[in-house]
Amino acid sequence: MTLNRKFLIGGIAAAFTSTAAIAGMVQPAPVDVDLATFFAGGDMLSARYAPNKNEFIGCGVRKFDDGVGGATAFGFCQAEDADGERAFCNTDNEDLLDAIEASADYGYVTFSWDEKTGQCTRIGFSNQSFYVPPKVGSNL
Amino acid sequence: MNWLIPLSATQTVLLAALGLKVVAIDMRTDDIAEAVKAQPTQVQTQADPAALSWDNARSASLSGDEMRKIIREEVAALETPARAASAPAQPVKPQHTPQQVKTAVTAVDREINYFRSRGAIDEVEMAGLQAKIAKLPLAERRAALTSLTKAMSKGEIDGWM
């Protein structure tokens, strides 16, 4: 193999290596529960692969047949951070239920709650490329 | 002078025909006069909408719009009882007595306290508890969920919703 060919193969390998290393911006957001300000937030991917057994975050909706053609629904959000601080809230606010049902995989979740009632006062989702895991398909 | 006799006979025949024609015109004039006399009565009848019905309606005296109006009224009258009979009965949400509500609230509170004393709740137990909470009236439901979420936030009940 000539020297020029070695350089060529090495250059191609280096090019592939650099492509694999650059995969777009990532913005991990570990779960944070603040019991002083009644705030919780974090992205699902970071929580799922956190280096501890505590972290989780998410929201859900429960619906029950009311027997007269409708449903009784309530939603909830829950989170625990690496320090073991936990937060739960619930809601029957239809707009907040809509927000929960519009959430997507791998997103950033944040919520706040009323200390006295435990009702959710704010629910937020953010779906961004930098929360998506690096091995879910590829356009490249 | 022989032609005077046929001429006279012809004139007589023509006069007789003319007389018959005059009588016929006179009779027709009387008929028309009678019809004109009868006309105001019919117009008065049509001017009263309440008088429009199958009982006194004559096709010659009703316009197309009036006949359509009568048909619509008759059809509506026939459909109304049938529609009322065929309307599906709306399900009625059962109204619980205050005592029933109190009993249900007590049962949910007791269950939450049980899980609090045990310190944990699993997924199946949570689903059952939520189903019981969902049957409570709104105010009681909110209170129960508040109690549950507070207990979980404080770590008194270990589990997930």
Side-chain angles (χ1 to χ4, degrees), chain A residues 74 88 90, chain B residues 112 115-116 121 126 129-130 133 142-154 157 161:
Chain A
F74 63 84
F88 293 84
N90 67 85
Chain B
I112 291 172
F115 291 121
R116 189 181 275 129
I121 184 171
M126 176 60 81
L129 177 58
Q130 289 177 338
I133 291 173
R142 283 179 175 167
L145 285 170
T146 293
S147 175
L148 178 62
T149 51
K150 277 183 154 184
M152 296 182 75
S153 294
K154 289 178 183 174
I157 300 176
M161 296 192 81

Side-chain angles (χ1 to χ4, degrees), chain B residues 68-144:
Chain B
R68 278 191 285 275
K69 181 184 174 188
I70 291 171
I71 291 169
R72 275 197 297 272
E73 287 173 355
E74 294 292 332
V75 169
L78 288 171
E79 282 183 351
T80 303
R83 196 178 297 156
S86 64
Q90 292 292 320
V92 179
K93 197 165 191 171
Q95 294 295 316
H96 299 296
T97 64
Q99 186 58 42
Q100 287 174 318
V101 171
K102 190 177 177 183
T103 303
V105 168
T106 303
V108 168
D109 286 345
R110 192 182 301 127
E111 202 160 328
I112 291 172
N113 285 332
Y114 165 72
F115 291 121
R116 189 181 275 129
S117 66
R118 202 176 78 181
I121 184 171
D122 66 29
E123 291 177 10
V124 175
E125 291 167 336
M126 176 60 81
L129 177 58
Q130 289 177 338
K132 288 173 188 166
I133 291 173
K135 289 178 182 170
L136 299 176
L138 180 61
E140 288 78 8
R141 187 163 69 240
R142 283 179 175 167

Side-chain angles (χ1 to χ4, degrees), chain A residues 23-35:
Chain A
M25 179 184 174
V26 290
Q27 185 72 23
V31 176
D32 178 33
V33 174
D34 189 334
L35 298 176

Side-chain angles (χ1 to χ4, degrees), chain A residues 61-75 91-92 97, chain B residues 93 130-138 141 145:
Chain A
V61 174
R62 297 286 181 266
K63 293 187 178 181
F64 301 86
D65 189 340
D66 64 4
V68 289
T72 299
F74 63 84
T91 183
D92 52 44
L97 294 179
Chain B
K93 197 165 191 171
Q130 289 177 338
K132 288 173 188 166
I133 291 173
K135 289 178 182 170
L136 299 176
L138 180 61
R141 187 163 69 240
L145 285 170

Side-chain angles (χ1 to χ4, degrees), chain A residues 52-87:
Chain A
N52 58 71
K53 295 282 186 182
N54 296 335
E55 279 185 62
F56 69 87
I57 191 164
C59 298
V61 174
R62 297 286 181 266
K63 293 187 178 181
F64 301 86
D65 189 340
D66 64 4
V68 289
T72 299
F74 63 84
F76 61 91
C77 291
Q78 55 192 1
E80 181 173 343
D81 64 17
D83 299 329
E85 288 190 313
R86 280 192 173 190

